[in-house]
């Protein structure tokens, strides 16, 4: 009798459907034989997430997507800001993996010094705050390639060249591995790794393996302390439908 | 000719109107002669904010409230999680003050060691993360009084007694000043300060003075880097109305 | 009946009277309607404070000035080293504000990354130690403009040009707001802010608003722990007159 | 055509064969369908690793074991000190996973506050140094159960009871997940998790999933910087046989 | 021909002559054969140094004492606050050693976890700030024995018993070595070490050896950056005589 | 009656005899009159220690050398990685000094900002980890001169020139003192100090004075906690002879 499949939900918390396709392909490329990837696009919020403001508006759509998939075994939030990760862990009935956290802890097992290369400069500080929260402040450095998220998908935008240049600069300054700091770069890791001869870690792929790991270990979010289930409380206005059920 | 008034908008990011009244009174009690306080309740989201999940759902309502008051001189987010503070700073056309940040930096000018006393244990870790981000990790300690936010308003809930006990414990362990870690405690600071003979800092009051300070200095949020105005980008679904205008 | 005025004492802890005038003007420019600024020059010590040595010799004169103004509501120490701040808080019968601390916490509410630009390189390390103590180690960077304190007042010293160049360099490296790291620069903030289009924070002005804030909140230095009043103890030699009274 | 198996070598760096059996069983219990676990006992060194001294003497045997298995896809060092992990990564032709690092990063994805419970008090400081190096200083606390490593295998040693008591104490103090701080506890995680109703993470199991993750992602140790392959250099004395080949 | 003696000046920065005698004896007890100890009492300032205020007033007398001994080979500041150490290093023509810094770095070479036991609670925070500045924040913990400095010299004050109790408590909590946090405890180290069977480090003794070390290595304070010699600048008022000469 | 000599054992943990001679000479040049230096070369392990791998293999030989000299008063590990320092302290019946730790704490008493200049880039991260463990992360910066350890001894290797260039670069970037980051540089400190006019600290010399200090103070490694003597336990294989005796 075959083992039941591990069902991993990948949520793209921005509302750009074409980016979800890129992400889903990257996830499937590394999924184990018994893993089923289902990728969904958030139904509301910004078309791309660049900085604190977009991030805040992406969370309700993300939570909605998670609560609509109660039979998943694990979920991945496929934006490098780890948008809404703590809120998601507080209500999802399965473990939730962030692609920034997954990428850093993967890279940290194969290198001491890590360069995180993101899109626009405005994302540097939010990512530095994540890096610090995950304990990598002394090991990882965040820089920007000056490529807008949606330009990653546009031929002729010069995105690839700018990213190359930023990777080269990071290696000169002592980086031992590169983390691609945007879910929209998920399809580039393999070629870049080949080109530069160093480990290039894509967060979507890394997160798939962390999700498989947690499911395989039978572990899920602790309900003591920080992630205790929210009580049943009143909600007003149009956000009411997503309030957790008792 | 009289100077124009300084208009400070105080947003209660939870949807409990009675709490807004408590907050407004605390704000007005310390406002300078030329300051006008207007207090609004968020039109959507949870009735109280306790932990990561509630916080995420409170942000859109908060942002909406800020964007509906374009002629304010400064705004205060009156929840001790400093709910959505970075997102708010990214779009509000005036400086935005968080009550946790304001309370810590006020207490830090009159004491070296600070105790932050919050409501439920589930809020400890989110507040510890704020304390760290604001640079007070070595000086401030967060504990919980085990009082739910809405119980602060209920006679007979035993809230006052529990809060007293927690303050006494903090002083025994070396605290030199107390920060009340919930906007719903705003009316208690004066009496507690009298009772314990140490500075007791309420974040709402502290934030009013920081807002007045920023307005008085003619300073507002920097638009370089982290808080650069978000670009005009597409938004899908029901959160669209709050998207910032160019 | 009018409210009583808030009396703020500004002490210039160096002995250069002309600098006190600059400082007093900067303080008065931002003072609230009901605030009275009185500025005094220390009666003994160095003509400027540049580094650890000058700082040590400036403290007794500063303390003397504070103890000779028992009816002040708050005091400001107008040197960016926050000279003798902890000693001052231990004995002054009113809250005491340091201009470095005030500037950092003001800038920190409108920007994530801060550049502190001081005078001579020898002041960098003392200021870095302050920055760390105030919890801004991860957010603020200190550099020197290579302008001696007293040259700030000399036409033809090239001071303005050097300061401009250092601000430009800081902005290129990611600073989102600038803190002027010397009380003698207090008159330059407005013009520089205009010129560079970013918030420029002068510590003297920032400190006036913090002093007003503490007075407005009815808060003063805690007497538990670090700032407990010193006991009445014997003092020998010529420093005896400044010993605190019981 | 079936996928080739993933071959994971688990090295017990102490010389106690019975402990290797416990470790191997724990590893096999969580291995994915296509994973082959082979477990070896170090051929020289101490019978248990407790503190700095034993650790130093366990490294050569560990390295020898790694170099004798050139066709492995990944290796696990099954001692919670992550004995010789950096040295191992410098020469092994496959990724190497430490069970302390794997346990912490697994626990960190399902809980904010982690208790690491080790054997004897003398191991606390070495583990605290690891915890710090891995970036968990603010999230994980190390305590000892006062059980010697080899007593874990002895019926009647009272080991289970002492471990229970230490877990209970950690939960009272705010731990949200427990990490078992010794490879010899690998068989206890499931029952303890059941008993205490919180996630209990065993490092051996966690490491198997991290090894599978790295292999699945096609990632191995970076050869830039810290983990650059050692040059071919002379070795004297009896340790010569383990020197890496060019 | 005999080697010239190493002349070490020990300055007691408080004005209590009997304490200078205790300090001098402790220094001489560990001095190397070729070392000459001369101990002086500051000619002005407080009779004991307890907290920030006393410390500030002790510095000018200390600096005067250093500048009056230009032919010393090294100096020691014999107060555990390392009173005025940075100012002293900026002008003394020989290396200057602080007893807190010397004690910590000595203890740190024979133990991982250190307890610093000081006199009154008001000194805890100032010493914690020193501990942090010297890089021992993660390894040293400061507590108070509740013994006033001058009570150390009074028979019948119960000082010895309180100190014993505090040492016992520190050892229970994991301290591996004890640092006596007051120069007035200098005569107690040997007996306490005997009694408790752990290393007890007295800062005065430790500082003598660090002073001998620096002299023996031919090293003195760097004049680049932080400790660059102060320029010749005007000084006003009665503190003028101690101004450094060009 | 003359005092008995202080016997200091200097162990070169690599197996290059000519380097031991350089080290011994540097140690004797600064030894106090009553100090006897005996220098030994490890009998097994790598010819030079560059990075994590070599370090691991150098420890057993080092421990053997220490245990074969039971009548020493103190020992020095003469490799800048402080190879095996914690293991050595756990079993040596006398205090053990590391040259990196000794150099940093010596430099830290005469300068605020320190540059550590090592040999190859692969040693930077291991040394940064040491610097952090010793509490100098905020004060010391590690860079590489790109000189292999054994090239330091080869005329015509260009080593001196590369080292000069790296020192000059460090001073430009604010270093106030230089620490030579390799035992093989021990003979260069005096000339470089002369040339650059700043303190240049050699770890071997610094360690001799720290060893003399500990012996002079009658202090040795604490046996509580981290450095408790290892129990008598079984050892297998060829490393058995070095196991500590009861």
């Amino acid at each position: 009798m075959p083992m039941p499949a591990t069902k991993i939900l990948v949520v793209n918390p921005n509302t750009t459907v074409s980016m979800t396709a890129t992400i889903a392909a990257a996830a499937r490329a590394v999924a184990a034989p018994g893993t089923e990837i289902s990728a969904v696009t958030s139904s509301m919020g910004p078309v791309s997430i660049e900085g604190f403001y977009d991030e805040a508006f992406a969370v309700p759509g993300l939570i909605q997507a998670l609560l609509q998939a109660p039979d998943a075994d694990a979920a991945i939030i496929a934006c490098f800001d780890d948008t809404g990760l703590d809120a998601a862990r507080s209500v999802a009935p399965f473990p939730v993996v962030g692609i920034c956290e997954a990428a850093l802890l993967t890279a940290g097992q194969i290198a001491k010094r890590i360069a995180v290369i993101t899109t626009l400069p405005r994302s540097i500080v939010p990512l530095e705050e994540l890096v610090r929260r995950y304990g990598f402040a002394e090991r990882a450095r965040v820089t920007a390639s000056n490529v807008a998220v949606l330009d990653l998908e546009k031929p002729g935008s010069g995105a690839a060249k700018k990213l190359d240049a930023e990777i080269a600069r990071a290696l000169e300054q002592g980086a031992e591995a590169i983390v691609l700091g945007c879910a929209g770069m998920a399809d580039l890791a393999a070629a870049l790794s080949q080109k530069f001869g160093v480990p290039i870690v894509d967060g979507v792929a890394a997160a798939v393996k962390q999700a498989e790991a947690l499911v395989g270990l039978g572990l899920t979010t602790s309900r003591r302390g920080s992630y205790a289930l929210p009580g049943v409380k009143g909600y007003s206005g149009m956000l009411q439908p997503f309030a957790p059920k008792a």
Side-chain angles (χ1 to χ4, degrees), chain A residues 171-182:
Chain A
L171 294 176
E172 271 170 41
Q173 292 172 1
E176 301 173 4
I178 304 292
V179 165
L180 299 178
C182 176

Side-chain angles (χ1 to χ4, degrees), chain A residues 67-238:
Chain A
L67 295 179
Q68 286 172 348
D71 60 342
D73 293 306
I76 291 169
I77 302 175
C79 172
F80 204 81
D81 303 71
D82 286 358
T83 321
L85 181 56
D86 284 327
R89 285 181 176 156
S90 299
V91 290
F94 38 72
V96 184
V97 175
I99 68 170
C100 173
E101 189 175 26
L104 285 170
L105 57 84
T106 299
Q109 294 181 82
I110 51 174
K112 289 273 185 182
R113 295 289 173 261
I114 300 164
V116 177
I117 301 183
T118 185
T119 51
L120 298 184
R122 66 179 306 142
S123 291
I124 292 178
V125 169
L127 292 188
E128 285 177 341
E129 292 186 358
L130 275 192
V131 160
R132 179 166 311 283
R133 208 181 318 147
Y134 296 146
F136 282 81
E138 294 153 8
R139 297 173 61 190
R141 217 168 134 259
V142 183
T143 60
S145 59
N146 266 306
V147 176
V149 171
L150 299 183
D151 283 355
L152 286 165
E153 300 196 326
K154 291 181 195 152
S157 70
K161 209 170 153 186
K162 288 184 191 169
L163 193 55
D164 270 23
E166 196 58 33
I167 292 173
R169 197 172 310 135
L171 294 176
E172 271 170 41
Q173 292 172 1
E176 301 173 4
I178 304 292
V179 165
L180 299 178
C182 176
M185 299 173 181
D187 51 342
L188 308 174
L192 289 169
S193 183
Q194 195 77 19
K195 185 173 199 168
F196 286 100
V198 291
I200 310 268
V201 180
D202 158 48
V204 175
V208 169
K209 305 319 276 185
Q210 294 302 318
E212 290 175 352
L214 292 170
V215 175
L217 295 167
L219 290 170
T220 191
T221 307
S222 175
R223 291 297 168 218
R224 285 183 79 90
S226 323
Y227 295 130
L229 280 172
V232 187
K233 69 175 57 166
Y235 268 73
S236 304
M238 69 183 175

